[in-house]
Each structure stands twice: as structure tokens, then as C-alpha cells.
Amino acid sequence: MRTIKDLNIDNKKVLIRVDFNVPMKDGKIVDDTRIVGALPTIQYALDHNAKVILMSHLGRVKEEADLAKNDIAPVAESLGKLLGKKVTFVNATRGPELEDAINAMNDGDVLLMQNTRYEDLDGKKESGNDPELGAYWASLCDAYVNDAFGTIHRAHASNVGVPTNMKENSAFGFLIEKELNALSILNDPERPFIVILGGAKVADKIGVIENLVTKADKILIGGGMAFTFLKAEGYNVGKSLVDEENIDFCKKVLKDYADKIVLPVDTAVTNEFTNDEEYRVKDINDLAEDEMGLDIGPKTMEIFENTIKNAKSVIWNGPLGVYEFEKYKKHTDDLLQYIVDNNVKTVLGGGDIVAAAGVAGLKDKVYHASTGGGATLEYLEGKELPGIVAIQ
Ligand code: AMP
């Protein structure tokens, strides 16, 4: 993997594609986690006396009214405070204003250009990877670094167009390096390699199941998804979430990989999809027509713990229950805690499970919590991701 450390950036103009897609309210940054996350790569470039040119998308720009909402200027101020130095903001994504500002940079200066998606207003040039735009941005710099993992599954001008025009002088930043290193446990996993899958619908996870079932030693299935598998096995799952269209898919997976798939044997059931009613724990063959399972049960938990106890690597995507409800987050939280207490090498695969770990205060205690959402999911599906291909 080519990283910023492999580039000659001393005293050079380095264009870094960062992820400054921060939550904003009334022009104020609500959470600066992503800005803080970008600091190591930016600081490394500054330590090498580079002229640091930063670009990022922010929100979506479809019409004129989206421009002001997604003005990235406040990020320059926030970044300046974090770096303890001036960050020049240029309210343009191209043209003389941007070019003059770049030409006026001294070694060790930092510049942030306007939201790359301002280019989307006129023909989706950023999101559609307009070749002229990628070539233009490449012409502004000597070297290019991509450190925005969240968009790595998309082919945009800022993350694919630019490096396509400067193959030799492009590399990944530290955030992407960390993500790809952690996710690469998939390629040659230390065994036993266990996958934990939860979440709502089978439909959203078909690609992940198809890819991981061939690699894992066991797949533990919880969440709403488990009930489609259980129904495929012939159980009465009452009012539990079922993805009728994918029952045949589940049947096939259960048949082809009978020794790998581990399903719940008990579940926390209730009659309504709410946190307000009491729940009962029931064996999986004992559900009534008007009951729905919203979390796994204690017997299942024990099986899951015993299975991952000796695992050398684990990937976990999706919560085991409706973790938004206090009553049904128990086993997601308990299994996260178990993993932390027993030092099980676990990669949390994006989205809801990372959010659940964050709420439980365990996100920083697991081996790796992947931040990618869609990017992580596509990685787990085994797809080639355009932002990776463009640099490798
Ligand atoms: P996903 O985005 O596919 O990882 O799904 C996460 C969602 O799955 C969360 O919003 C959970 O509330 C939901 N979920 C987990 N377990 C269940 C369940 N037993 N029944 C219904 N929804 C569930």
C-alpha cells in the first residue's frame, strides 16, 4: 500500500483529499471528530514543509440553495485552531482566485478550498468524476494524498479523477491506511475467523453474506436478519421482521454452509415494536403468532461468547437487537463488552454497530471500529473500490 510516507513531499504542493463532511447546524460545526481525525496526515505533511492544499465534500449540492448550507468555510477556522496556525480559506473550487492563492503559498502553509461538491451544481462534475475537473485539480499540485475513507467506494473527481492523472505521485493518508490494514484481516484471516452479522434486513447484507460465508469459520447471525433465516429453517417467527423475498436465499445459504451458520436459540419477545412494554425470553421454537423477537436471548449469548472465545479474528457488522430501545440493546452491549474484556481481535464493520459501540463507550477499546458506512459494507462485500484502485 502506497502511503504519504512513500511520497517525496518536502517543500512540495500536496493536495490532500480529507473527509471534512462534518455535521453542521446554522453554520456551526456540531462535531469536529472528522477534522481531528485528519490531523495526523496534515501534520505529517507540515512536518515535511509541504504546502498543504486541502479539499473535501460537505453535504450534497443539488440546487443553488444548497450552496450556503454547505459552505465549508467554518472548517478552516476550526482546523486553524486545532493546528495552531492560520488556514487560508479560498471560496472557490477553480479559477484565478484559487490558483493565485496556491501560487502565493509558502512552505508549511495550509489552504482549504471550497466544498468540492460546489462543482455538482453545474453538471455533477465532482460526483460524476468529470475528467476535465480531475485533470485540473491534479494540475494544481505536485503530489496527491487521499485520506477520505467514507467516499472510497465512489468514483468522484476528487478521489479518483485526481490520482488517475498523477499515478506515481498519489498515495493514501494515515486514516485510510489504518482502515485498509484493519479490514485486510479478511484477505488472510488468522483462524478461527468468526463473523457476527446483525441488523435489520437480509436484503441489505446479501453481498456481505455471500462474500464472508466463504471465508469465515463460523457466521453468528442475530438481529432482525436472524428471523428470515429462522423462518427459512421452518420456525414460526410470529410478527418478527421477515424479509420474505430472501427466504430462498437463506435456505440456500443454510443448505450450502450448514456447518458454518449459527442462529439464535432464544430471543427477547414482545407484542409491539416499542420500548414501553415488558418482554419475555422465549426459546426460538416457542414464539406465538403475535410475538416478535427484538433481541437475542441469554442462551444464544452464551453460544456466541463460546464461539468467539477462541477466535483469532472477528468481523462484526450490525447490532444483535433493536439497540435504539434500551431494553433490546442488552446483548449487543454485552457482547461488545465481552470482546473488550477478552481482547478478541475484532473489527466493527461500520454503521450501526460502530454507533452502538460509541454509545456504550467501547468504540476506542475494540481493535478497530471502521468508520466507512457504505464504504466498509462494500469492502466486506469483496468489491473493488474505485478510490483504492485509482491509487494502487
Ligand atoms: P443495519 O443498518 O442493517 O445494520 O440495521 C440496523 C438496524 O437493525 C437497527 O436500526 C436495529 O434497530 C435493527 N434491528 C436489529 N435487530 C432487530 C430486530 N430483531 N427486529 C427489528 N429490527 C432490528
Side-chain angles (χ1 to χ4, degrees), residues 43-350:
Q43 194 56 56
Y44 178 88
L46 288 175
D47 291 346
H48 284 255
N49 290 318
K51 302 172 183 76
V52 180
I53 308 160
L54 302 171
M55 55 157 49
S56 172
H57 77 286
L58 176 64
R60 290 220 164 98
V61 175
K62 289 187 176 145
E63 53 189 38
E64 198 81 30
D66 295 330
L67 293 177
K69 267 190 283 186
N70 294 305
D71 186 340
I72 207 165
V75 173
E77 205 188 313
S78 165
L79 176 65
K81 285 193 191 129
L82 289 166
L83 284 173
K85 70 185 300 170
K86 181 176 165 28
V87 173
T88 303
F89 175 68
V90 178
N91 185 15
T93 49
R94 65 167 80 210
E97 190 187 342
L98 178 63
E99 291 156 29
D100 290 351
I102 290 174
N103 288 332
M105 287 175 87
N106 292 313
D107 293 348
D109 281 354
V110 183
L111 177 155
L112 173 67
M113 69 170 83
Q114 185 52 280
N115 179 1
T116 55
R117 288 199 180 154
Y118 272 41
E119 289 283 345
D120 280 355
L121 197 58
D122 173 23
K124 282 198 157 269
K125 291 200 167 69
E126 155 73 331
S127 299
N129 190 16
D130 175 65
E132 181 268 330
L133 182 60
Y136 170 71
W137 279 337
S139 76
L140 301 175
C141 61
D142 305 308
Y144 169 84
V145 174
N146 186 5
D147 210 18
F149 184 68
T151 48
I152 205 157
H153 57 314
R154 306 267 184 243
H156 293 169
S158 63
N159 72 335
V160 169
V162 181
T164 305
N165 281 281
M166 45 195 318
K167 272 271 177 229
E168 300 306 312
N169 293 317
S170 59
F172 297 117
F174 298 126
L175 276 180
I176 290 191
E177 180 189 26
K178 191 163 169 252
E179 287 282 359
L180 294 183
N181 275 341
L183 289 169
S184 72
I185 70 169
L186 256 186
N187 303 335
D188 185 16
E190 281 184 82
R191 294 183 185 279
F193 170 43
I194 311 296
V195 170
I196 307 169
L197 286 182
K201 291 198 249 150
V202 175
D204 299 338
K205 305 286 166 76
I206 287 183
V208 176
I209 297 168
E210 280 177 334
N211 186 37
L212 296 186
V213 79
T214 61
K215 300 183 172 167
D217 295 298
K218 294 270 183 226
I219 298 202
L220 314 179
I221 298 184
M225 208 163 83
F227 294 97
T228 308
F229 278 92
L230 288 165
K231 186 157 184 187
E233 284 260 70
Y235 289 98
N236 168 31
V237 298
K239 286 201 294 184
S240 304
L241 190 69
V242 170
D243 208 345
E244 295 289 344
E245 280 168 23
N246 288 303
I247 289 184
D248 284 345
F249 169 78
C250 293
K251 278 187 182 158
K252 183 158 169 35
V253 172
L254 287 165
K255 180 164 162 277
D256 294 350
Y257 300 97
D259 55 333
K260 288 195 181 184
I261 307 289
V262 180
L263 296 177
V265 294
D266 59 352
T267 171
V269 299
T270 182
N271 299 93
E272 298 299 330
F273 191 79
T274 160
N275 190 46
D276 300 334
E277 293 193 5
E278 283 312 307
Y279 69 84
R280 310 163 284 284
V281 173
K282 283 209 162 174
D283 282 352
I284 224 69
N285 54 12
D286 204 20
L287 263 64
E289 289 302 335
D290 61 349
E291 289 176 327
M292 64 178 86
L294 297 186
D295 194 6
I296 60 168
K299 289 183 195 161
T300 309
M301 182 67 182
E302 207 179 319
I303 296 171
F304 283 13
E305 283 179 355
N306 284 334
T307 314
I308 60 171
K309 190 162 59 188
N310 299 315
K312 287 281 185 332
S313 48
V314 173
I315 288 187
W316 181 354
N317 174 275
L320 302 178
V322 182
Y323 80 100
E324 298 91 334
F325 293 161
E326 197 56 38
K327 288 196 175 93
Y328 305 106
K329 69 204 275 257
K330 176 174 169 42
H331 290 110
T332 300
D333 281 358
D334 287 356
L335 198 63
L336 282 165
Q337 190 67 54
Y338 182 88
I339 278 166
V340 169
D341 291 346
N342 293 280
N343 266 320
V344 184
K345 185 176 173 184
T346 302
V347 174
L348 302 183

